[in-house]
Amino acid sequence: MCGIVGYIGPKDCVPILLEGLARVEYRGYDSTGIAIVSSGTIKVHKKKGKLREMEATLPKRLFAKIGIGHTRWATHGEPSDANAHPHLDTSGHLALIHNGIIENATELRASLEAQGIVFRSETDTEVLVHLLSLAEPGDLEDRLRAVLALVVGTYGIAVIDANQPDRIVVARNGSPVIIGIGDKEMFVASDVSAIVRHTQQVIHLEDGEMAVVQAGGYRTMAVDPSAGGVVSDPSARMITINWSVGALDKGPYAHFLQKEIHEQPAAVERALRGRIDDRHATAHLGGVTLSAREVLDIRRIKVLGCGSAYYAGMLGAGMLESMTRIPSDAESASEFRYRNPVIERDVLYIAVSQSGETIDTLMAVQEVKRKGGRVLGIVNVVGSTIARECDGIYLHAGPEVSVASTKVFTSTAVAFALLGLYLGRIRDLGPADGKRIIEGLKALPGKLEEALATEEQMAQIAKKYAHTSSMFYIGRGLGYPIALEGAQKLKEVSYVHAEAYQASELKHGPIALVSPDFPTVVVLPDDHLAEKNISSIQQVRARKGPVIAVVQKAITEGLADDLVLVPKSEPELDPIILNLPLQLLAYHAALELGRDVDQPRNLAKSVTVE
Ligand code: G6P
């Protein structure tokens, strides 16, 4: 989704902006642009397509000490050079970039056009820059504030003015804006990835907050002081990003997706670090502030998330229910937020989000909180909006750059296991079971490593099946969310149609589709349902459907066309291991079909607009 980057300081901003934009490419975009102030005038370069296409149009000698850059993901108006940001006012003194959606753009545009303003794009954003040019004279921040008073919608905005080239003014309402603090230089961004090479000290703006960013420092203020919008001391909100060097590089891997699949054992170790209490066979979770008494009062658990976070939440709900005996389920946050949900005081809500910025999940969190409910967050990005909205668990998985989520799915499942341990040990989980799960968690990184050794086999299987038009993924119990996630991965990165079913439901309709060119992937944990899963395989085989079975124990020879063997762990953790070959299958199918593995078409990494 759209990305913002900006620089002000003594250095040449152009390479900093280009590198920053490259770092947010992963979020998904369809055009890019930069605006700089050079020799007292604004120069804009913008283009539809990939960043390198815009870069190729840049003149050789381009130098400036202040500039802003943008990656756009089209909402109002198709991807085109004209619709790309930054947008200029008629005089060409002001340049503005914007993430989010201005809801009253149509009316504002009509009134500007009535005043003779000629629009150059179809975007909602362009109204902002024309309104700014018509605002009462004054400092840029005062003019922006006056404009924002007229605007309804969501925004992360950065604006520069050739007549006041000592500042970038930024504002936030519902779309992330970060200020990066350097030594006599300052950065702005929508995502820490864009600036983390230059500074690790960042401040997240709050909704309703704006800031004047100058080379020597920054000041923040409320967008609407009259509404009692007092902003808290920003320095108290400063956080240090401690990503390891290389976290944003592919290293020896061909793609971020492959790198992140292989990072899973290390990511799990990080998620577990310092959180296991062997003595009491429980977990320590610093961000979970529920007292034992409050835990005893929980009557139900409801997990919310979107996409892979939803599927991880579905797996997590199953794990929690089996470990705590508290009835638990998951629901897509995008549906939940719109159905006027009944919020109950003895229900624990859990929001799952890699980015911590997904608008549907954030809105669901706010809906629960507004109605007096209690929400925990399971979030990867430190300091992100959802993380700041709720107590919870950080995953510490490191940046996930590939659009398709892999390591964060796994880390989320591990976080649920830790939460299950903590809640379960207060409720119904005995110390022996606690210890069993702890031992399982400690051994998990090694077992994931073994599961990753199926890569060559999965590459062969991908070759065999990537050209089919459709596939089934089936599983039952905790294997079902893995089937859903496996099918989602294949769809996302290879564009091969895949559908997940509960194995038990296959015979109630979908089996009609099975034929010799319609393969079925079976997720087969070695559990009490194994025999039932095997009879599903037999049903598929009887209709001559090819079967790829991911198993933890060899099954009858010849029952599956391809048998993928992974190690066994504890029943609560087995699904985590069974998922890895499915990630590898999706990755290699995408390679086989020549897809854009890390930035699949039409997808955005974090969907921050409706
Ligand atoms: C988008 C992405 C998905 C992701 C989902 C939730 O739809 O394309 O891959 O799973 O958002 O993202 P989150 O950052 O909230 O986990």
Side-chain angles (χ1 to χ4, degrees):
M1 203 124 275
C2 306
I4 287 176
V5 59
Y7 173 83
I8 183 161
K11 295 182 194 142
D12 180 10
C13 71
V14 178
I16 295 172
L17 297 180
L18 295 176
E19 200 243 4
L21 291 180
R23 296 288 167 197
V24 292
E25 270 193 301
Y26 76 97
R27 294 169 63 99
Y29 70 103
D30 40 47
S31 58
T32 62
I34 59 169
I36 57 173
V37 183
S38 163
S39 320
T41 58
I42 297 234
K43 296 196 167 63
V44 170
H45 300 272
K46 55 184 192 172
K47 197 154 179 55
K48 174 183 163 186
K50 292 282 179 191
L51 175 62
R52 57 175 180 276
E53 294 171 51
M54 187 271 284
E55 249 183 289
T57 67
L58 295 180
K60 280 234 156 31
R61 261 182 272 286
L62 204 57
F63 179 90
K65 294 178 179 176
I66 172 172
I68 53 178
H70 193 257
T71 52
R72 172 175 188 255
W73 196 78
T75 54
H76 281 60
E78 56 167 18
S80 68
D81 294 355
N83 287 338
H85 300 209
H87 291 285
L88 291 174
D89 71 325
T90 310
S91 75
H93 284 121
L94 293 160
L96 183 142
I97 55 184
H98 161 231
N99 293 349
I101 292 178
I102 304 302
E103 288 163 18
N104 58 343
T106 311
E107 303 89 88
L108 292 170
R109 187 180 179 116
S111 96
L112 286 161
E113 280 172 341
Q115 292 172 64
I117 301 276
V118 178
F119 277 75
R120 301 187 188 106
S121 79
E122 302 154 284
T123 64
D124 52 338
T125 301
E126 197 182 340
V127 299
L128 297 173
V129 76
H130 292 304
L131 288 171
L132 204 52
S133 71
L134 298 177
E136 290 277 310
D139 283 338
L140 183 57
E141 55 275 23
D142 297 328
R143 284 179 284 149
L144 183 63
R145 176 185 274 146
V147 168
L148 293 179
L150 307 172
V151 160
V152 179
T154 56
Y155 49 77
I157 290 172
V159 59
I160 53 175
D161 182 349
N163 295 328
Q164 224 173 2
D166 64 341
R167 66 194 63 197
I168 303 174
V169 177
V170 290
R172 168 187 169 136
N173 186 38
S175 206
V177 175
I178 294 160
I179 302 174
I181 295 147
D183 183 13
K184 300 189 186 70
E185 59 181 1
M186 298 287 286
F187 304 83
V188 299
S190 54
D191 179 327
V192 285
S193 315
I195 55 175
V196 75
R197 299 247 147 175
H198 307 285
T199 176
Q200 281 78 51
Q201 307 297 317
V202 304
I203 286 162
H204 289 257
L205 282 196
E206 303 280 3
D207 278 344
E209 192 177 26
M210 54 191 290
V212 181
V213 181
Q214 297 182 285
Y218 69 95
R219 54 202 162 82
T220 64
M221 59 212 78
V223 172
D224 181 5
S226 65
V230 181
V231 297
S232 64
D233 174 12
S235 59
R237 284 185 265 141
M238 174 134 56
I239 56 172
T240 304
I241 305 296
N242 49 6
W243 289 352
S244 65
V245 179
L248 288 169
D249 294 321
K250 285 188 211 131
Y253 296 99
H255 298 96
F256 280 107
L257 183 60
Q258 191 190 26
K259 178 188 181 219
E260 288 158 9
I261 289 173
H262 283 272
E263 277 176 348
Q264 291 177 107
V268 168
E269 270 168 20
R270 281 200 301 276
L272 294 177
R273 198 164 294 156
R275 287 172 164 170
I276 285 181
D277 176 347
D278 285 301
R279 188 153 159 250
H280 300 103
T282 185
H284 280 306
L285 296 163
V288 177
T289 52
L290 291 163
S291 68
R293 191 167 285 254
E294 286 172 314
V295 172
L296 290 178
D297 286 341
I298 301 172
R299 206 173 43 80
R300 264 186 334 111
I301 297 175
K302 164 77 85 187
V303 186
L304 302 164
C306 296
S308 290
Y310 168 43
Y311 297 144
M314 203 184 265
L315 172 62
M319 292 164 78
L320 288 180
E321 185 164 299
S322 97
M323 291 165 76
T324 65
R325 304 309 299 146
I326 302 171
S328 309
D329 71 348
E331 183 173 341
S332 66
S334 49
E335 282 296 309
F336 176 87
R337 61 173 284 208
Y338 285 113
R339 67 170 176 80
N340 189 20
V342 176
I343 303 301
E344 292 167 293
R345 63 164 70 223
D346 46 9
V347 175
L348 175 64
Y349 296 86
I350 303 176
V352 178
S353 178
Q354 187 287 128
S355 60
E357 303 294 351
T358 299
I359 192 85
D360 285 320
T361 313
L362 174 63
M363 291 298 154
V365 167
Q366 291 177 347
E367 177 79 357
V368 175
K369 285 178 65 180
R370 197 178 56 73
K371 292 177 167 176
R374 174 155 208 165
V375 201
L376 291 182
I378 296 185
V379 173
N380 191 37
V381 177
V382 174
S384 56
T385 312
I386 295 171
R388 283 180 294 127
E389 284 270 348
C390 16
D391 288 344
I393 307 174
Y394 275 127
L395 298 173
H396 303 302
E400 189 176 67
V401 176
S402 174
V403 165
S405 181
T406 51
K407 65 175 175 176
V408 166
F409 182 94
T410 296
S411 299
T412 303
V414 168
F416 274 111
L418 290 167
L419 187 62
L421 260 181
Y422 173 69
L423 302 178
R425 290 288 294 114
I426 296 170
R427 306 277 294 228
D428 262 2
L429 191 75
D433 270 328
K435 198 164 167 9
R436 178 179 64 73
I437 289 162
I438 287 180
E439 293 315 315
L441 284 170
K442 286 182 180 168
L444 194 57
K447 297 203 170 165
L448 295 180
E449 208 66 78
E450 279 180 61
L452 291 173
T454 60
E455 178 151 15
E456 195 37 55
Q457 187 189 4
M458 295 322 293
Q460 293 306 324
I461 296 174
K463 264 203 176 65
K464 203 157 131 190
Y465 296 113
H467 298 275
T468 54
S469 55
S470 238
M471 280 170 89
F472 269 146
Y473 281 65
I474 61 170
R476 48 200 307 163
L478 295 186
Y480 176 54
I482 298 303
L484 283 165
E485 171 61 7
Q488 171 99 324
K489 252 353 44 143
L490 189 76
K491 281 183 273 204
E492 279 181 313
V493 298
S494 75
Y495 319 149
V496 173
H497 172 246
E499 211 177 339
Y501 263 99
Q502 287 144 334
S504 51
E505 278 291 305
L506 199 64
K507 58 180 177 297
H508 296 299
I511 199 159
L513 292 172
V514 170
S515 71
D517 47 11
F518 197 111
T520 299
V521 176
V522 185
V523 181
L524 213 165
D526 178 19
D527 62 8
H528 66 291
L529 290 171
E531 283 309 315
K532 304 254 178 233
N533 272 317
I534 289 173
S535 56
S536 303
I537 297 183
Q538 278 158 338
Q539 290 166 21
V540 173
R541 293 284 297 177
R543 276 103 191 148
K544 305 216 165 9
V547 169
I548 304 135
V550 185
V551 300
Q552 296 185 300
K553 190 170 85 181
I555 53 173
T556 317
E557 182 122 4
L559 199 54
D561 299 77
D562 292 281
L563 200 63
V564 183
L565 193 62
V566 297
K568 168 125 188 67
S569 168
E570 298 304 322
E572 297 84 349
L573 308 176
D574 281 338
I576 304 176
I577 305 176
L578 288 157
N579 186 37
L580 270 50
L582 306 189
Q583 298 172 339
L584 291 165
L585 178 62
Y587 171 64
H588 285 281
L591 283 189
E592 181 65 23
L593 296 168
R595 307 300 193 216
D596 189 348
V597 175
D598 286 328
Q599 290 161 39
R601 70 181 180 204
N602 307 342
L603 295 183
K605 181 72 179 157
S606 58
V607 181
T608 50
V609 295
E610 302 268 336

